[in-house]
């Protein structure tokens, strides 16, 4: 060991040009050759160490892909290559979609208490709340490039077909409760056609016509085995992945406390059947801002409301709940937080 240290030290001096020619002559040819070989080995080892040294100061670990998932009360095996890899892709995506996935859990604390009772009342499995997460990231104001809007991303024509009013001043696709009721009508209709909730979920993205047509054309009974465009092929696995993470966020690196979640804010309801010429003045009359009115009623799409003879329910937030003077303590699902 000592000899090697000496050799390495000598090599370092040689490389630096410190030793004079006279010393080299005294050392002799043999020792010089040993030193040269040692220097080469040291340089090679150093280069190898540099090559292997991480340049990123964190590690990315592939999340474990489950052998099966439970969706709407049915166990779905994920052992076939396309299913396992489809799930792996979406689980990896949402796991490392750090800030967005964390935000989805925070928002769910506010919106799931509204969505879940509507699904239950309409006989729709609770797991379909995750479809809303995938569709809009739980943002009632979301609008897609194709002009689909709201929590459930209805196109204007489709929204009207399922009972939603869309006018110059009203867009009920952005009404959380009413759009959820409309989504339930679609989901019930699709289930009557397929008798399978996974096929129903896929049809929400691709459309019933396309799913039915492709199942017939491809002579396939499982929607998960269909050859579809990428977005539609990925869609059910995105729902499965979100459900997997929401049911065990800590396993996938999402550590939240109760105070991190967005609490539901209590609102009173005002029935309106006459036009409102100035929504800002209307809001001030209830002691809230125009922004507050728009946030809790995202279906109001203009600065005025024209009822057209219809009746609307306007939500007025409790002013005392608009401030985080105390940390949030409401946790809709205990699995979301650490104690």
């Amino acid at each position: 060991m000592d000899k090697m240290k000496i050799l390495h030290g000598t090599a370092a001096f040689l490389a630096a040009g410190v030793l004079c020619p006279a010393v080299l002559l005294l050392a002799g040819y043999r020792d010089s050759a040993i030193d040269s070989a040692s220097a080469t080995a040291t340089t090679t080892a150093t280069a190898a160490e540099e090559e292997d040294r991480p340049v990123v100061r964190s590690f990315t670990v592939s999340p474990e892909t489950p052998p099966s998932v439970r969706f709407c009360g049915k166990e779905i095996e994920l052992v076939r290559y396309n299913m396992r890899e489809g799930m792996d892709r979406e689980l990896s995506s949402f796991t490392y979609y750090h800030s967005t996935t964390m935000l989805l859990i925070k928002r769910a604390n506010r919106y799931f208490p509204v969505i879940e009772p509507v699904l239950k009342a309409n006989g729709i499995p609770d797991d379909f709340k995750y479809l809303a997460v995938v569709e809009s990231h739980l943002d009632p104001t979301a609008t897609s490039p194709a002009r689909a809007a709201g929590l459930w991303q209805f196109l204007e024509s489709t929204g009207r077909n399922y009972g939603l009013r869309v006018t110059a001043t009203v867009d009920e696709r952005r009404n959380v409760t009413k759009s959820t009721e409309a989504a339930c009508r679609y989901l019930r209709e699709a289930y009557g056609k397929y008798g399978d909730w996974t096929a129903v979920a896929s049809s929400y993205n691709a459309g019933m016509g396309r799913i039915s047509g492709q199942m017939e054309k491809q002579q396939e009974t499982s929607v998960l085995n269909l050859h579809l465009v990428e977005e539609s092929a990925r869609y059910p696995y995105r729902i499965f992945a979100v459900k997997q993470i929401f049911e065990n966020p800590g396993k996938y690196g999402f550590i939240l406390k109760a105070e991190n979640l967005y609490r539901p804010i209590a609102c009173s309801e005002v029935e309106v059947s006459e036009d409102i010429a100035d929504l800002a003045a209307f809001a001030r009359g209830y002691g809230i801002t125009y922004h507050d009115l728009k946030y809790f009623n995202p279906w109001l799409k203009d600065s005025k409301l024209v009822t057209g003879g219809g009746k609307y329910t306007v939500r007025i937030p409790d002013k005392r709940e608009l401030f985080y003077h105390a940390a949030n303590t409401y946790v809709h699902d205990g699995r979301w937080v650490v104690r």
Side-chain angles (χ1 to χ4, degrees), residues 43-230:
T43 303
T44 302
T46 303
E49 290 172 0
E50 287 295 329
E51 183 70 21
D52 293 339
R53 181 176 297 165
V55 295
V56 178
R57 301 301 182 188
S58 63
F59 295 96
T60 303
V61 180
S62 180
E64 177 185 338
T65 302
S68 65
V69 292
R70 191 165 187 80
F71 181 67
C72 298
K74 180 181 179 181
E75 200 71 22
I76 301 172
E77 289 192 350
L78 300 174
V79 293
R80 200 173 191 278
Y81 80 96
N82 57 311
M83 297 181 187
R84 186 188 187 284
E85 293 172 12
M87 181 64 173
D88 178 74
R89 177 178 182 176
E90 304 311 326
L91 197 55
S92 297
S93 176
F94 278 103
T95 297
Y96 289 103
Y97 207 14
H98 293 116
S99 60
T100 297
T101 302
M102 181 173 64
L103 180 61
L104 297 180
I105 298 171
K106 292 181 178 184
R107 285 177 176 170
N109 200 56
R110 176 168 292 166
Y111 289 110
F112 277 8
V114 180
I115 295 171
E116 289 175 355
V118 178
L119 294 176
K120 184 176 181 180
N122 285 274
I124 303 300
D126 187 68
D127 282 348
F128 272 93
K129 64 192 177 189
Y130 301 114
L131 187 148
V133 175
V134 170
E135 280 290 328
S136 64
H137 287 184
L138 295 179
D139 179 1
T141 67
T143 303
S144 77
R147 307 305 297 169
L151 211 65
W152 296 89
Q153 289 291 282
F154 278 104
L155 292 170
E156 185 172 324
S157 58
T158 310
R160 285 198 174 103
N161 289 341
Y162 287 94
L164 298 176
R165 287 178 283 191
V166 182
T167 69
T169 64
V170 170
D171 190 345
E172 290 186 335
R173 295 177 296 168
R174 303 181 191 279
N175 183 309
V176 175
T177 301
K178 290 193 174 185
S179 66
T180 302
E181 290 170 345
C184 288
R185 287 190 280 273
Y186 174 92
L187 298 171
R188 279 202 313 271
E189 180 183 333
Y191 187 74
K193 186 179 187 68
Y194 299 112
D196 176 75
W197 289 115
T198 303
V200 170
S202 292
S203 77
Y204 200 89
N205 175 265
M208 282 187 266
R210 181 170 298 163
I211 292 297
S212 298
Q214 289 302 316
M215 291 180 84
E216 181 179 354
K217 182 179 180 180
Q218 298 177 34
Q219 301 176 35
E220 181 57 63
T221 58
S222 171
V223 71
L224 296 176
N225 284 330
L226 287 179
H227 181 73
L228 299 169
V229 298
E230 183 180 15

Side-chain angles (χ1 to χ4, degrees), residues 230-300:
E230 183 180 15
E231 180 186 349
S232 297
R234 293 178 63 180
Y235 192 77
Y237 299 106
R238 291 174 67 80
I239 298 171
F240 299 162
V242 167
K243 180 176 188 278
Q244 191 79 7
I245 292 172
F246 269 57
E247 290 182 348
N248 195 352
K251 180 178 180 180
Y252 299 96
F254 297 98
I255 309 301
L256 296 100
K257 298 179 180 179
E259 57 261 35
N260 302 138
L261 303 178
Y262 298 163
R263 69 181 178 217
I265 295 177
C267 294
S268 58
E269 296 183 343
V270 177
E271 298 297 325
V272 175
S273 57
E274 297 182 356
D275 293 353
I276 301 174
D278 186 345
L279 287 174
F282 177 84
R284 289 298 178 188
Y286 284 93
I288 60 173
T289 67
Y290 178 70
H291 172 77
D292 296 334
L293 182 67
K294 287 281 194 170
Y295 180 86
F296 292 96
N297 301 275
W299 54 272
L300 291 169

Side-chain angles (χ1 to χ4, degrees), residues 318-329:
D318 185 331
K319 290 179 287 185
R320 296 167 298 180
E321 296 199 10
L322 296 177
F323 302 91
Y324 280 96
H325 291 309
N328 173 61
T329 58

